[in-house]
Amino acid sequence: MLSIFGGSEKKGKRTDELKQGKRLQNAKELFYTGKFPVVTTPMLKGRRIRRVLGLVSGRGFDSECAFYGLTASAIDIGADAIIGYQENVAFHPDGSRYFSCCGTAVVLEKATPAKTLAGKAIMQ
């Protein structure tokens, strides 16, 4: 009844949509800048996994929305990366498609800074 007279439900819904949009935009920026890797392999080359946070998933009628929803979910729980990424698509008789993806959210060990030896950078 409150939503019929007060309209507060519409206002709350709009705020949630804005937060969701910012959340997905942040995930997209981190992924494209290389600050949040997503890989299909069980490990990330050159980086050690410090802690496994668990399975995260994303779903939607748009593959981009499903992927960035997955990424945003991992960021929300404090992950630095996603390993073991998989995606699926379901085709419905009406012609629509439904995308789902999942992976394991992990926290990585901090990268050690490069040391120099006779003017050349060496990674440890």
Side-chain angles (χ1 to χ4, degrees), residues 63-81:
S63 63
E64 188 172 290
C65 184
F67 178 79
Y68 292 119
L70 162 90
T71 307
S73 294
I75 293 167
D76 289 347
I77 62 172
D80 295 328

Side-chain angles (χ1 to χ4, degrees), residues 7-120:
S8 63
E9 188 175 311
K10 284 185 180 180
K11 190 180 238 183
K13 187 176 181 179
R14 178 71 178 142
T15 303
D16 290 344
E17 288 174 359
L18 290 173
K19 286 180 184 176
Q20 179 71 4
K22 288 181 181 179
R23 185 174 164 258
L24 294 180
Q25 185 61 35
N26 180 49
K28 189 174 188 176
E29 287 173 12
L30 288 173
F31 175 74
Y32 275 115
T33 58
K35 295 177 183 174
F36 193 89
V38 178
V39 297
T40 58
T41 58
M43 62 185 158
L44 198 60
K45 187 174 181 177
R47 301 288 302 270
R48 292 184 137 191
I49 296 171
R50 185 169 54 118
R51 193 168 85 206
V52 175
L53 299 175
L55 187 67
V56 288
S57 63
R59 295 176 184 89
F61 290 102
D62 179 315
S63 63
E64 188 172 290
C65 184
F67 178 79
Y68 292 119
L70 162 90
T71 307
S73 294
I75 293 167
D76 289 347
I77 62 172
D80 295 328
I82 294 173
I83 60 170
Y85 173 77
Q86 296 180 5
E87 60 187 20
N88 296 297
V89 62
F91 297 93
H92 296 281
D94 67 359
S96 64
R97 296 176 293 177
Y98 191 73
F99 297 88
S100 62
C101 51
C102 65
T104 304
V106 296
V107 176
L108 303 172
E109 285 187 359
K110 300 294 179 203
T112 56
K115 291 185 177 182
T116 59
L117 179 67
K120 295 183 180 181

